[in-house]
Amino acid sequence: MWPFSSSKSKKNVINAASYISIKETTEEAEIEKMVSKLKQIFYSTSREIVILCIGSDRSTGDSLGPLTGKLLIEKNIPYPVYGTLKDPVHALNIKTVLKEIKETHHNPFIFGIDACLGDERQIGYILIREGSFIPGNAVNRVLPSVGDYHLKAIVNTLDPLTPVHSLNSTRLYMVLKLAEIIAEIISRVAANDRTSRGEIEQINVP
């Protein structure tokens, strides 16, 4: 799946979402800020949370989703994860996957993860926003909107004339670093969610 870009200015985008920047800092306090925000989102719904990581492993910049999905599977989080390096969710299969999610999970709360392009000062930002998004917007793909909430990470600059080149020229180090931080944030939320949703060891009374 191709990443997407926002039509809003950098200032409006950042003011509209909780965010951290791996360029500025990845200190524990900054990561915990994002963990706290995501806890508020996940713990406020009684619906089944499904993580949908969108992207293609055939493009460096667009591999954020599959890399994050792989890391989340390895961390054994309690939420279903769709979109990994082995089984990516991209432009060719996203409609089928969305249908599968709706058939498999009753009224799922879909949390989407995708890469996006911005300006040079935005590279390295991770943002959480309410509502759905349209994957592939930057490369003019006609795809369905996705998610109840979504997280996007800005992996490279947007060249409006050749956005595909922007994706293919993205540094793998940046994408991997962003994927690791996102997976760590979600895994911390998931670890607490096991108990908050009642998965507490029961004491048998004779």
Side-chain angles (χ1 to χ4, degrees), residues 27 42 48 53 58 84 99 115 156 158 160 166 168 171:
E27 293 179 359
F42 281 14
E48 182 180 9
C53 303
R58 296 178 183 271
T84 64
K99 181 180 179 181
N156 204 354
L158 171 64
S166 296
N168 292 337
R171 290 195 63 203

Side-chain angles (χ1 to χ4, degrees), residues 35 39 43 187-197:
V35 170
K39 282 181 180 179
Y43 297 1
S187 67
R188 292 189 190 186
V189 175
N192 290 324
D193 204 11
R194 296 175 196 268
T195 55
S196 69
R197 289 175 180 267

Side-chain angles (χ1 to χ4, degrees), residues 13-169:
V13 167
I14 292 176
N15 287 342
S18 294
Y19 73 96
I20 59 175
S21 170
I22 69 170
K23 273 188 170 183
E24 295 176 357
T25 179
T26 52
E27 293 179 359
E28 183 66 19
E30 290 298 303
I31 292 176
E32 277 300 317
K33 180 180 74 172
M34 189 69 81
V35 170
S36 178
K37 174 64 178 179
L38 200 55
K39 282 181 180 179
Q40 294 175 17
I41 296 167
F42 281 14
Y43 297 1
S44 66
T45 181
S46 59
R47 296 156 61 192
E48 182 180 9
I49 295 169
V50 173
I51 308 295
L52 178 60
C53 303
I54 298 172
S56 170
D57 61 343
R58 296 178 183 271
S59 168
T60 304
D62 203 27
S63 63
L64 174 83
L67 278 170
T68 303
K70 176 181 183 296
L71 293 173
L72 290 173
I73 292 293
E74 291 174 350
K75 288 178 177 291
N76 195 31
I77 66 170
Y79 313 130
V81 177
Y82 290 80
T84 64
L85 286 177
K86 181 180 179 181
D87 299 301
V89 177
H90 45 66
L92 298 179
N93 67 0
I94 186 170
K95 293 181 180 179
T96 300
V97 172
L98 288 174
K99 181 180 179 181
E100 178 186 346
I101 290 173
K102 292 179 180 179
E103 291 176 349
T104 304
H105 309 280
H106 175 67
N107 192 25
F109 181 95
I110 299 177
F111 186 75
I113 298 174
D114 198 5
C116 68
L117 302 172
D119 64 40
E120 187 173 358
R121 293 170 296 176
Q122 292 177 304
I123 297 173
Y125 275 93
I126 299 171
L127 307 100
I128 295 177
R129 302 186 71 187
E130 184 176 5
S132 61
F133 65 97
I134 302 176
N137 216 18
V139 289
N140 299 317
R141 296 272 182 151
V142 180
L143 299 171
S145 60
V146 175
D148 296 278
Y149 262 87
H150 62 275
L151 179 153
K152 60 182 181 179
I154 302 172
V155 298
N156 204 354
T157 58
L158 171 64
D159 183 339
L161 298 179
T162 58
V164 175
H165 176 72
S166 296
L167 294 174
N168 292 337
S169 62

